[in-house]
Amino acid sequence: MLISHPEEGSLPEKSLQEHLENVAEVSRQQINKMRLNISHDLISKKMLIEISFLIGMFHDFGKATSFFQDYIIGKRKKSPLTRHGFISAVICYYIILEKTESSLWAMAAYMIIKKHHGNLEKFNSNESDNINIAEKQIENLLSNNLTPLKEIYSDIVDIEKVLKNIDIANFGETLEDIEEFLDDYFDEYSEDQKIECYFVINLLFSILIDNDKKDAARLNTDYFNGNLNEPVNDIFKYIDNYKKIDPEKFNSDKPINKIRDQFLSDIKNNDKIKKENHFYTITAPTGIGKTYGCLAFANILKKKLEEGEGRIVYCLPYTSIIDQNFDEFEKIIQFNKKDKYQQRPARYLLKHHYLSMKNVKNRISEEEYSYKDYLDDKLFVESWESSMIVTTFVQFFHTVIGYKNSFLKKFHNIINSIVILDEVQNINPEYYYLLRKILDVLGKKFNIYFLLITATQPIILDSKASSPVSLINSQNYMKHDLFNRVVLKVIKEPQYLEDFQNNFCTTFAGENCLIVLNTKKAAVTLFKYIKDNITNYEIFCLTTYLVPRDRKNKINIIKALLKDKKKIIVVATQLIEAGVDVSFKNVFRDFGPLDSIIQVAGRCNRNGEYGLLGGFMTLIKLNDDNDRLYHAYVYKPIIAQHAAQTLEKKEYESKNFYNLSESYFSRFDFKAEATKLLAAIYDLNYDEKIERQTPISDFKLIEQYQEENIYILVTKQSQKDMERFLKCKSNIFDKNLSKEERETYLFETEMLKTILKKYQISLRGKDLEEYNNTNIIIENDYFKYVSYDMQKEYLYDEDIGFLIKPKKEISTTINF
């Protein structure tokens, strides 16, 4: 018997035939269930199903060599001859070419199989080393394992004939001409069809790698089976129940509740929510109940889709605001599912971002839980099997504009889903044109449904091509007197930070205040000055110099103090802009993009508790000591220019924000970066540097600076966790360990790694200059960290977070 995977713990060895047939059959079934509108002259659904099946059947073909079989049972060491990706890819290329007569899809299958253990890459025209190895592997297969191969492929192809007739040298020549071939092939297609082609390849890759990993792990999928066929979670029943529990809070006679009820009613009665429409928008003010509204929409739409469709993917810009939305969804689902949710919560709701624990609750009993179970859970979490996923923009957009194996394995589970993009204005305007093109194709050709939610109006969807449906009459709400909560005063003349802080401390006497600055350094400077000069307020500083644990705690303290009407001043950076549920009477914001300004206005008189126009926001323009505007350190000049041209008057009200947003976003026509990324998508350029193209591998939704991750251990427990992590990591490499002992250490390191992320911050090189060549920051093979004692003595302040200037002179230096 040919083996694909060896015995593992209690799991028996797996035969190659069983593995190939499992992956192929599940792949075929998944494509067959999908509702697709792919251009017929690109590929028919029938052909797509067949290709997916054949990719599954041949992806591990090369494991049949005696080289690999001897290696997997421990008789041979790993060598180039034990590789199986390239030979499997070549064989599948010839099979698909023969069966479909499509050079494009034969070559696509080749690339998918060749890279199924790694990331997708641009076609490589030089594979001479692999071709030499493949020649020896074909000879080996003909001499050794032909009989079992015939059994595996008897219903598909005469594998002996294929192996005898294959011309590897000719395949090498085909690869050399690949660029010219693709150029000629794609000349026939429109730009949208090229995007379709890119997504079809990613879909085939996604299905293969996800099914391959799960079958290799011998996963039982019963936990999730059929979850998309269950009834939706009725948001209206949930609200009715809470009206009974707390009639005062939900009193329908209150003006705010009347308008919230009307908002939900507008969505509920919108007759344009139907299977044929793929694009929807909600532009509405803060506090209207958008969380309830988006779920109401999703449930209405899901009922109109085919059975097994309508997974809800709810995306937010930042990990810091996921928890509060997740908690609200959990309450709704718990109410609807009752005990079924308690028994299998991840079946219905899953949180996925880099800080979240990758576990599936109650899939395996806690007493039996092992490292293998954790790895299995990770596969489920990262492939989005739940009915509803709460995640980040990064997770979503780096999957649809992706090349990485770890991201793409969930792409197939986005097909036929409902994707909600909340606070969508946070996406870089440079990518609007890119998203306009790809979302249109994903919606129309792959039957994905998009809802874009915002308090402003970025022009992302194409009004003509995508024809988005507005779920409400936005102007009725954006200009409603009840939401006319803020007076915005615009001070156009620049002022030094020093002058602003002097004036503020001399004149401010309000109930509370939020001041949002553009840089961490400016925020820390202002915070220190206010702290030294104002004594009758509680004063806080919120920046990413604070570790995530402390940031979250401070936000909770600030919320509690505001609720208790305490006198409080908060100095923050832009991290407070989106989704952080706080409300101040007075707000100052340093100049920036209009959508950011409006987002900060959403933290001013947020719930209308200070009455009509009871919130006061002042837009200032701050200079540093070098006469450089602080916003110039963060935002591109053109963005500031558009904001300045839009804000012509000295004073506005909340009701003006709708028209201001419309005017502001109409000025944007950024296409340069988007065009370069689209050029790479058209050419299937996943990773190669080419003039006038930005390879897909270089796409970054969030602009990343040259930063280093540092773990600052601000609690004694985190110090213990780090010490234990390092010990476990070291123990893993002990050659005397049994397999079970090694896995115990591996499991513990994974758990500790997630826990320690609560103490991780990112810093630029210049932030660390004072600590270079000292013993303050400890470096090891895994990452950099600062011990509990060192952070306390030198570089961390519980109010500010990381300190660019140490608390005291560092007396001892050690060179590493």
Side-chain angles (χ1 to χ4, degrees):
M1 179 179 76
L2 297 176
I3 299 167
S4 69
H5 297 89
E7 182 182 338
E8 186 180 356
S10 60
L11 299 173
E13 65 185 18
K14 186 148 205 168
S15 78
L16 180 60
Q17 180 166 359
E18 182 189 4
H19 176 60
L20 294 173
E21 288 175 351
N22 286 351
V23 173
E25 187 54 38
V26 174
S27 299
R28 173 158 60 187
Q29 289 173 11
Q30 286 175 333
I31 295 279
N32 190 45
K33 287 177 184 175
M34 290 177 183
R35 193 160 49 88
L36 302 167
N37 299 328
I38 296 166
S39 301
H40 198 77
D41 53 348
L42 182 68
I43 187 170
S44 68
K45 186 173 180 182
K46 183 180 178 183
M47 185 190 290
L48 186 60
I49 292 169
E50 182 178 16
I51 288 171
S52 182
F53 176 80
L54 291 172
I55 287 172
M57 281 301 299
F58 285 93
H59 78 280
D60 275 353
F61 175 87
K63 287 185 175 182
T65 67
S66 63
F67 305 129
F68 184 88
Q69 291 298 307
D70 287 346
Y71 158 70
I72 206 167
I73 60 174
K75 284 187 178 181
R76 169 192 282 268
K77 289 185 177 180
K78 202 170 188 178
S79 74
L81 288 170
T82 64
R83 296 175 191 159
H84 66 278
F86 182 76
I87 182 64
S88 302
V90 172
I91 298 298
C92 193
Y93 167 84
Y94 281 108
I95 301 296
I96 289 179
L97 187 62
E98 179 186 327
K99 288 185 174 292
T100 67
E101 298 181 350
S102 170
S103 299
L104 173 65
W105 295 111
M107 191 56 71
Y110 158 80
M111 179 174 69
I112 287 163
I113 292 176
K114 178 171 173 278
K115 297 305 298 180
H116 77 276
H117 288 306
N119 301 324
L120 283 173
E121 62 181 24
K122 188 171 171 62
F123 290 107
N124 187 354
S125 59
N126 184 7
E127 294 284 3
S128 54
D129 289 344
N130 278 328
I131 285 170
N132 292 333
I133 293 164
E135 286 177 335
K136 294 173 185 174
Q137 289 173 324
I138 289 171
E139 290 173 16
N140 178 272
L141 289 167
L142 287 168
S143 304
N144 292 279
N145 293 323
L146 198 54
T147 301
L149 277 177
K150 283 182 174 181
E151 289 178 14
I152 294 172
Y153 295 105
S154 59
D155 294 337
I156 299 172
V157 73
D158 183 342
I159 200 65
E160 181 178 9
K161 184 180 177 183
V162 170
L163 288 171
K164 284 181 176 178
N165 292 341
I166 199 166
D167 187 343
I168 287 287
N170 182 59
F171 183 74
E173 291 173 12
T174 299
L175 287 177
E176 288 174 10
D177 297 333
I178 188 67
E179 296 289 344
E180 189 176 338
F181 159 75
L182 287 175
D183 287 344
D184 291 344
Y185 216 103
F186 283 152
D187 278 348
E188 303 174 24
Y189 297 132
S190 67
E191 289 181 350
D192 282 358
Q193 285 176 315
K194 291 175 187 177
I195 297 173
E196 274 185 80
C197 181
Y198 163 77
F199 283 133
V200 171
I201 289 172
N202 287 8
L203 173 59
L204 289 167
F205 184 72
S206 174
I207 284 174
L208 172 63
I209 60 176
D210 191 45
N211 291 329
D212 182 31
K213 291 174 196 291
K214 286 175 180 169
D215 190 70
R218 288 82 150 178
L219 283 191
N220 183 334
T221 61
D222 288 351
Y223 184 98
F224 295 98
N225 282 350
N227 61 347
L228 293 179
N229 296 330
E230 293 193 26
V232 298
N233 298 294
D234 196 319
I235 183 68
F236 297 101
K237 281 185 181 178
Y238 172 80
I239 293 170
D240 288 344
N241 180 65
Y242 269 85
K243 283 180 178 178
K244 293 173 187 173
I245 294 170
D246 192 350
E248 177 59 28
K249 181 179 177 181
F250 289 94
N251 185 346
S252 295
D253 292 332
K254 288 184 177 179
I256 187 65
N257 288 336
K258 276 185 179 179
I259 200 165
R260 284 171 177 162
D261 288 345
Q262 184 60 51
F263 171 72
L264 284 174
S265 177
D266 286 354
I267 294 171
K268 185 178 181 180
N269 297 313
N270 192 315
D271 59 5
K272 291 185 179 178
I273 301 176
K274 50 189 177 182
K275 189 164 70 171
E276 293 72 27
N277 293 329
H278 292 90
F279 307 97
Y280 302 85
T281 63
I282 293 176
T283 304
T286 302
I288 200 167
K290 284 181 280 188
T291 304
Y292 290 164
C294 71
L295 196 57
F297 154 78
N299 289 340
I300 294 164
L301 177 59
K302 183 172 168 57
K303 288 178 183 177
K304 298 180 179 182
L305 302 181
E306 305 293 327
E307 188 176 70
E309 295 183 1
R311 173 177 284 107
I312 300 169
V313 182
Y314 181 86
C315 308
L316 286 156
Y318 309 118
T319 57
S320 57
I321 57 175
I322 280 182
D323 284 347
Q324 64 190 44
N325 289 273
F326 180 89
D327 292 345
E328 199 60 51
F329 290 131
E330 187 172 51
K331 290 174 191 173
I332 296 164
I333 294 171
Q334 274 183 321
F335 171 79
N336 279 272
K337 300 298 181 189
K338 307 292 190 296
D339 290 344
K340 289 172 74 175
Y341 181 80
Q342 293 301 118
Q343 291 163 10
R344 294 191 284 183
R347 175 180 171 83
Y348 304 106
L349 181 65
L350 200 63
K351 186 191 306 182
H352 184 208
H353 56 82
Y354 82 103
L355 287 173
S356 60
M357 194 75 81
K358 312 294 189 294
N359 66 320
V360 177
K361 194 175 179 183
N362 298 345
R363 190 180 68 86
I364 302 290
S365 68
E366 288 184 20
E367 296 79 18
E368 298 173 6
Y369 204 80
S370 67
Y371 179 60
K372 167 73 167 63
D373 297 317
Y374 168 75
L375 293 179
D376 292 348
D377 278 357
K378 199 162 177 271
L379 287 175
F380 280 127
V381 170
E382 292 178 347
S383 63
W384 291 5
E385 300 288 345
S386 185
S387 301
M388 183 173 187
I389 313 292
V390 183
T391 190
T392 60
F393 284 178
V394 167
Q395 280 293 334
F396 178 77
F397 285 112
H398 281 264
T399 298
V400 298
I401 309 172
Y403 77 110
K404 278 191 175 180
N405 189 300
S406 58
F407 279 98
L408 284 173
K409 66 183 178 183
K410 60 181 173 285
F411 178 66
H412 66 286
N413 278 331
I414 298 174
I415 306 301
N416 300 159
S417 67
I418 300 166
V419 177
I420 299 167
L421 301 172
D422 199 354
E423 307 279 10
V424 75
Q425 74 284 342
N426 284 280
I427 293 170
N428 187 334
E430 289 192 342
Y431 293 135
Y432 287 177
Y433 181 67
L434 171 70
L435 299 187
R436 195 171 303 151
K437 297 281 284 184
I438 67 162
L439 294 185
D440 189 69
V441 172
L442 285 170
K444 293 174 179 174
K445 301 299 181 179
F446 296 86
N447 286 309
I448 301 173
Y449 297 85
F450 293 97
L451 169 61
L452 278 61
I453 305 175
T454 178
T456 56
Q457 299 174 82
I459 305 169
I460 293 177
L461 296 174
D462 188 316
S463 59
K464 290 183 179 177
S466 301
S467 303
V469 172
S470 180
L471 292 176
I472 58 169
N473 185 326
S474 299
Q475 292 201 46
N476 286 352
Y477 296 99
M478 294 297 290
K479 297 184 177 183
H480 195 285
D481 285 344
L482 198 62
F483 294 104
N484 198 24
R485 298 178 290 211
V486 179
V487 175
L488 172 65
K489 184 180 179 182
V490 181
I491 299 176
K492 298 184 179 182
E493 299 77 23
Q495 57 185 305
Y496 290 108
L497 176 59
E498 185 178 350
D499 293 337
F500 170 76
Q501 64 191 21
N502 288 337
N503 185 53
F504 178 84
C505 289
T506 304
T507 61
F508 183 74
E511 296 175 38
N512 55 54
C513 185
L514 169 66
I515 307 171
V516 180
L517 301 187
N518 285 317
T519 71
K520 290 180 278 190
K521 193 173 178 181
V524 169
T525 301
L526 179 59
F527 165 77
K528 286 180 177 178
Y529 188 89
I530 294 173
K531 187 93 170 166
D532 289 342
N533 289 276
I534 295 181
T535 56
N536 57 334
Y537 288 81
E538 295 202 51
I539 301 161
F540 293 86
C541 186
L542 273 180
T543 78
T544 51
Y545 279 149
L546 289 162
V547 298
R549 168 197 175 270
D550 289 354
R551 222 180 301 154
K552 185 177 179 180
N553 289 343
K554 282 194 190 305
I555 289 172
N556 288 335
I557 293 168
I558 290 165
K559 285 180 179 179
L561 290 170
L562 286 168
K563 187 178 180 182
D564 292 340
K565 297 188 170 18
K566 300 292 184 184
K567 297 182 80 174
I568 176 176
I569 297 171
V570 176
V571 182
T573 53
Q574 301 92 322
L575 70 85
I576 206 164
E577 282 178 8
V580 180
D581 190 6
V582 290
S583 181
F584 293 82
K585 183 173 179 61
N586 303 283
V587 172
F588 291 83
R589 208 282 187 207
D590 194 8
F591 195 78
L594 184 73
D595 52 298
S596 293
I597 295 165
I598 293 173
Q599 280 296 303
V600 173
R603 312 313 117 192
C604 185
N605 196 17
R606 181 176 176 84
N607 304 306
E609 62 267 51
Y610 300 111
L612 181 66
L613 295 175
F616 298 97
M617 179 172 168
T618 306
L619 184 65
I620 55 179
K621 199 174 279 187
L622 295 179
N623 266 338
D624 65 9
D625 293 339
N626 298 316
D627 282 324
R628 187 177 180 187
L629 291 163
Y630 277 103
H631 69 72
Y633 288 99
V634 182
Y635 304 111
K636 293 185 177 177
I638 189 65
I639 291 176
Q641 182 183 321
H642 287 339
Q645 289 170 344
T646 304
L647 295 168
E648 297 175 321
K649 298 179 183 177
K650 292 184 178 181
E651 192 168 290
Y652 295 93
E653 297 177 6
S654 298
K655 66 182 181 183
N656 304 133
F657 292 167
Y658 184 87
N659 290 340
L660 286 173
S661 294
E662 200 170 53
S663 171
Y664 175 69
F665 284 112
S666 69
R667 299 172 188 272
F668 286 101
D669 191 26
F670 296 153
K671 287 188 179 178
E673 185 55 34
T675 301
K676 288 194 284 185
L677 274 159
L678 282 166
I681 289 172
Y682 299 152
D683 283 359
L684 302 177
N685 177 14
Y686 289 93
D687 65 338
E688 190 176 316
K689 304 288 184 187
I690 297 175
E691 191 177 356
R692 290 191 291 278
Q693 286 190 14
T694 299
I696 295 152
S697 59
D698 283 1
F699 168 67
K700 299 285 186 296
L701 186 72
I702 299 172
E703 189 174 352
Q704 294 176 323
Y705 301 97
Q706 290 291 330
E707 293 185 336
E708 290 190 74
N709 290 329
I710 310 283
Y711 292 81
I712 302 180
L713 309 178
V714 300
T715 66
K716 289 182 179 178
Q717 183 57 50
S718 64
Q719 177 70 40
K720 290 177 183 176
D721 289 339
M722 177 61 77
E723 289 167 2
R724 182 61 187 164
F725 173 83
L726 294 173
K727 185 172 178 57
C728 290
K729 200 76 176 170
S730 175
N731 287 344
I732 288 166
F733 299 100
D734 184 345
K735 293 180 180 178
N736 297 318
L737 288 180
S738 67
K739 187 170 183 285
E740 291 72 23
E741 288 172 326
R742 181 170 284 105
E743 287 191 348
T744 299
Y745 285 125
L746 282 166
F747 182 32
E748 196 171 352
T749 59
E750 288 296 325
M751 297 298 104
L752 289 167
K753 198 189 297 181
T754 302
I755 291 167
L756 287 168
K757 280 179 180 172
K758 292 187 291 186
Y759 305 95
Q760 176 188 309
I761 63 172
S762 296
L763 297 168
R764 299 193 195 185
K766 63 182 181 181
D767 293 336
L768 295 165
E769 286 174 356
E770 294 281 341
Y771 304 100
N772 291 336
N773 303 317
T774 75
N775 64 341
I776 306 297
I777 298 174
I778 300 169
E779 291 189 53
N780 59 61
D781 293 339
Y782 315 113
F783 39 62
K784 296 181 178 181
Y785 71 93
V786 182
S787 71
Y788 174 75
D789 290 335
M790 284 294 189
Q791 63 83 24
K792 201 166 187 181
E793 190 172 356
Y794 290 105
L795 62 60
Y796 197 81
D797 179 273
E798 62 181 17
D799 290 332
I800 295 168
F802 173 79
L803 301 172
I804 294 174
K805 295 286 183 185
K807 295 177 185 177
K808 64 179 187 179
E809 186 180 348
I810 303 171
S811 56
T812 306
T813 60
I814 299 174
N815 292 309
F816 292 93

